[in-house]
Amino acid sequence: MEFSPVKSQEFSIVYEKAKKWHCDPAVVYYLASSDNKFGVIASKKIGNAVKRNRAKRVVRAAFLELKDRLKPGIYVIITRANINDMEFSSVVKSLKWSFKRLEAEK
């Protein structure tokens, strides 16, 4: 299943209507839809540009591992400051748990 990027005007729709779950590395939003879209946000609270980009790369890599298990929909993940201190396996485990809680798994 291929995912396209979430457009900027779609973020507000996702924030209003989507299910949301907080986990250690991120806040995960899931909106059931026929579209397959994915977006990652890292605010300046994460740190400088290097740290923000690393956080986004880690989340994208974790999402790629899990994407085949997910239902179609729009996924937005907002990273938290402690994501750069976590191991990759724990990020994957937390996101997997979040998707399960949001009923986004097939």
Side-chain angles (χ1 to χ4, degrees):
M1 181 170 22
E2 293 298 317
F3 285 84
S4 60
V6 177
K7 295 178 183 170
S8 59
Q9 58 266 40
E10 294 173 321
F11 279 104
S12 60
I13 295 169
V14 171
Y15 293 145
E16 290 175 14
K17 298 181 180 180
K19 294 179 184 178
K20 149 173 101 166
W21 182 256
H22 297 267
C23 61
D24 286 338
V27 178
V28 181
Y29 288 86
Y30 166 65
L31 180 63
S33 172
S34 60
D35 298 333
N36 291 323
K37 296 191 176 193
F38 171 69
V40 181
I41 299 171
S43 72
K44 289 190 175 184
K45 292 178 185 177
I46 302 290
N48 61 14
V50 174
K51 291 180 181 178
R52 291 193 306 268
N53 287 333
R54 183 188 183 284
K56 291 191 283 187
R57 282 195 313 271
V58 167
V59 169
R60 284 188 199 113
F63 188 82
L64 284 175
E65 280 194 16
L66 301 172
K67 74 176 187 173
D68 294 330
R69 310 170 85 187
L70 301 176
K71 294 179 183 177
I74 301 173
Y75 296 87
V76 174
I77 300 176
I78 303 173
T79 60
R80 289 187 168 176
N82 63 344
I83 191 168
N84 287 326
D85 300 330
M86 297 178 72
E87 292 186 24
F88 181 73
S89 60
S90 61
V91 172
V92 172
K93 184 178 177 182
S94 294
L95 288 179
K96 186 188 297 186
W97 175 250
S98 297
F99 294 139
K100 184 176 181 179
R101 295 287 300 179
L102 292 170
E103 299 173 355
E105 288 186 327
K106 290 181 183 176

